[in-house]
Amino acid sequence: MRASDAALIERIVAKDETALAALYDRYAGMLLSVLNRIVRDKQAAEEILQDIFYQLWRTAPQFDASRGSLPGWLVVIGRNRAISLLRRHTPSQGEELLENTVVLPVNLERMAAQEQLFGRVKCALESLPKEQRAAVEFAYFEGMTHSEIARRTGDPLGTVKTRLRSALESLRRNLQLETA
Amino acid sequence: MNGHPTREEDFDLYALGAVEGEERQAIESHVAQCAACSRRLAEAQGRIALLALGAPRVEPSPSVKVRLMNKVRSTVQGRAVRSAPVEPQRAGGFFEQWWAAVLAPVAVALALAALFLWTENARLDRQVADLRATMQDQQKQLDYARVVAHLLEARDTISVSLAPMPGMANGAVKVMYNEKMGVLMYDGWIDPPPGDKSYQLWVVPKQGSPISAGVFNPATSDSAHWLTKVPEGIPVKAFAITLEPAGGMASPTGPMVLIGPVS
């Protein structure tokens, strides 16, 4: 029987290395994919991946599984680290604090669930109009703000804001994301 | 922002990192004091985290896991060595006891000093990171203010007031436009548009078709003024605001809401 994330975290707190290895096997592929997409350098992405799992090993007692989702936390921390590397910026303490609670609307503990959602997210992104998809990708994978996207695309700021807002509305509708 | 953000997209946009400046600070200070919005932000962080699954799948090299587990094992062994039971020592002579009496307090003092330096270092690191983020925010605000000042100071900047069309939404808008710089500043207010419509600002050139200068919706934007870049060197006949489907159109299709001819 597969152990839940919360049970594996408890074992990590008790310094059980096999629990960390199990969580690594569960989420390393998903996490490395987003890190690699952001930094576009597999070696640099793998270094961040290793750091994040080592941080999980050291700080597991501070992680409250009842308040947030582990894969959500891994992705948010990983994305911020990768964007920081990309933009040579250190996340502020405030940003780190806001990352502590991430509530995922789905359970990703099973690989099959990850694979299924992977397909749904890919389809939902591909179904967006080209400009909306580009805006979402600039923001998510390159960490750009509204005005930075406007500068990059040459579009008016108001257009970029409306475009991103519409894209997020469509994504939520297409993915039928209601928080559990 | 005095109250709760009204739409889920406000939280999604914040979690995405797209929101900036005063709008970002307003959400942060509100969320810090509001448990309900803090929960909604945590949910938005989760929704946005799912976009990670839009990245092409890459599998880690096996060596990463090996390095990670070696690092973990070395810390476990280090702890075991540190916590290993100490063999009872034989009773030493006078000099051994004297050295122990001198060195023990020195070791404790050194450990305390190291702990103090480590915490101080971590605190300073956090301060530096905070200052750097603040500086970047201020730089962005300064850049914006510089462009506004440059626009307002330029002798060839024109100011055009837009008046509401009869029977349309009420509003008072002023456009500052510099043809050479190709920069336009919108300043003013309009009643929110109906349903899923947006307003779109147009530069109407003396020759050729209207050029879009921005799509906006006062119901979802806190800002009453914004800058935008338009093609340089376009002599302008008028500025107009029309009602269009959300997201805007390539050319005007909806009714004109406000108009301001260039005198």
Side-chain angles (χ1 to χ4, degrees):
Chain A
M1 190 177 140
R2 287 168 65 85
S4 68
D5 286 355
L8 290 171
I9 292 278
E10 277 181 25
R11 282 168 48 194
I12 290 176
V13 172
K15 295 297 168 199
D16 177 350
E17 297 162 33
T18 61
L20 183 71
L23 282 179
Y24 179 92
D25 291 341
R26 195 172 285 178
Y27 297 121
M30 180 184 79
L31 187 53
L32 182 69
S33 302
V34 65
L35 297 174
N36 187 57
R37 170 67 180 78
I38 294 170
V39 299
R40 295 177 186 277
D41 175 344
K42 193 176 178 200
Q43 196 180 345
E46 286 183 337
E47 278 177 27
I48 301 175
L49 178 74
Q50 186 187 324
D51 281 350
I52 290 172
F53 275 95
Y54 187 61
Q55 181 181 344
L56 177 63
W57 172 255
R58 287 185 296 112
T59 59
Q62 292 160 28
F63 187 83
D64 183 353
S66 66
R67 286 182 59 213
S69 140
L70 178 66
W73 180 83
L74 291 171
V75 165
V76 173
I77 291 270
R79 175 184 173 235
N80 283 5
R81 294 256 179 103
I83 286 172
S84 301
L85 180 73
L86 194 68
R87 312 189 65 167
R88 302 175 198 289
H89 154 73
T90 310
S92 71
Q93 183 69 5
E95 286 168 273
E96 291 283 341
L97 286 175
L98 285 172
E99 288 155 5
N100 285 343
T101 312
V102 181
V103 178
L104 273 190
V106 287
N107 186 336
L108 292 179
E109 289 180 13
R110 290 187 174 278
M111 292 306 285
Q114 285 184 32
E115 290 301 326
Q116 193 194 22
L117 196 62
F118 176 75
R120 279 171 59 198
V121 171
K122 195 163 174 282
C123 281
L125 281 170
E126 280 170 0
S127 69
L128 291 175
K130 198 173 81 180
E131 293 82 4
Q132 286 187 14
R133 182 179 175 184
V136 169
E137 290 186 342
F138 280 139
Y140 189 75
F141 292 116
E142 297 189 33
M144 288 190 186
T145 61
H146 282 132
S147 50
E148 287 168 334
I149 297 171
R151 275 200 293 276
R152 168 74 74 91
T153 59
D155 292 317
L157 180 60
T159 306
V160 170
K161 284 187 174 182
T162 309
R163 203 173 266 165
L164 259 184
R165 192 174 282 275
S166 305
L168 293 174
E169 267 176 8
S170 302
L171 284 172
R172 204 171 59 243
R173 202 171 47 243
N174 292 344
L175 290 169
Q176 297 176 323
L177 293 178
E178 296 303 329
T179 304
Chain B
M1 185 182 298
N2 298 320
H4 308 277
T6 50
R7 300 170 66 173
E8 292 308 312
E9 289 82 47
D10 294 328
F11 293 99
D12 287 350
L13 285 166
Y14 177 87
L16 191 58
V19 179
E20 56 204 321
E22 288 174 7
E23 204 179 344
R24 182 176 182 86
Q25 285 166 4
I27 292 179
E28 281 172 3
S29 53
H30 176 76
V31 165
Q33 298 162 2
C34 175
C37 286
S38 172
R39 172 79 189 171
R40 287 172 76 190
L41 178 59
E43 290 169 2
Q45 296 268 32
R47 280 193 296 274
I48 295 300
L50 291 182
L51 292 176
L53 294 163
R57 193 80 181 184
V58 180
E59 290 305 323
S61 321
S63 61
V64 181
K65 187 177 178 186
V66 172
R67 285 202 306 271
L68 172 70
M69 299 317 291
N70 283 342
K71 196 169 176 181
V72 163
R73 263 173 224 127
S74 69
T75 61
V76 172
Q77 282 160 6
R79 284 162 58 92
V81 167
R82 282 196 297 278
S83 61
V86 179
E87 289 284 320
Q89 289 186 344
R90 64 182 175 80
F94 170 77
F95 286 109
E96 273 182 63
Q97 286 174 12
W98 184 83
W99 272 111
V102 170
L103 289 179
V106 170
V108 170
L110 282 173
L112 286 174
L115 181 66
F116 171 77
L117 288 172
W118 181 79
T119 21
E120 192 62 7
N121 189 43
R123 190 182 64 78
L124 289 172
D125 277 352
R126 285 196 299 274
Q127 262 185 2
V128 168
D130 281 347
L131 286 172
R132 195 173 289 145
T134 308
M135 200 175 72
Q136 283 177 345
D137 264 359
Q138 286 175 343
Q139 185 61 48
K140 280 181 191 166
Q141 288 171 16
L142 188 64
D143 290 345
Y144 182 88
R146 270 193 192 131
V147 178
V148 171
H150 194 189
L151 178 71
L152 298 181
E153 280 169 3
R155 286 186 179 177
D156 46 358
T157 294
I158 57 170
S159 169
V160 179
S161 296
L162 278 67
M165 299 292 288
M168 302 305 290
N170 205 7
V173 170
K174 188 183 277 186
V175 167
M176 312 289 287
Y177 173 69
N178 189 296
E179 184 184 316
K180 278 188 201 156
M181 292 161 64
V183 172
L184 177 153
M185 187 171 86
Y186 166 102
D187 184 22
W189 62 272
I190 316 184
D191 286 342
D196 56 351
K197 301 280 187 183
S198 295
Y199 291 124
Q200 192 159 5
L201 174 63
W202 302 94
V203 174
V204 185
K206 285 185 177 166
Q207 287 185 330
S209 307
I211 300 163
S212 174
V215 181
F216 62 100
N217 186 337
T220 57
S221 170
D222 288 339
S223 183
H225 57 87
W226 37 266
L227 279 175
T228 191
K229 194 96 175 83
V230 290
E232 294 166 17
I234 306 272
V236 176
K237 189 163 65 179
F239 295 94
I241 293 174
T242 59
L243 187 64
E244 303 290 349
M249 301 297 286
S251 55
T253 61
M256 197 179 294
V257 184
L258 284 93
I259 178 93
V262 175
S263 53

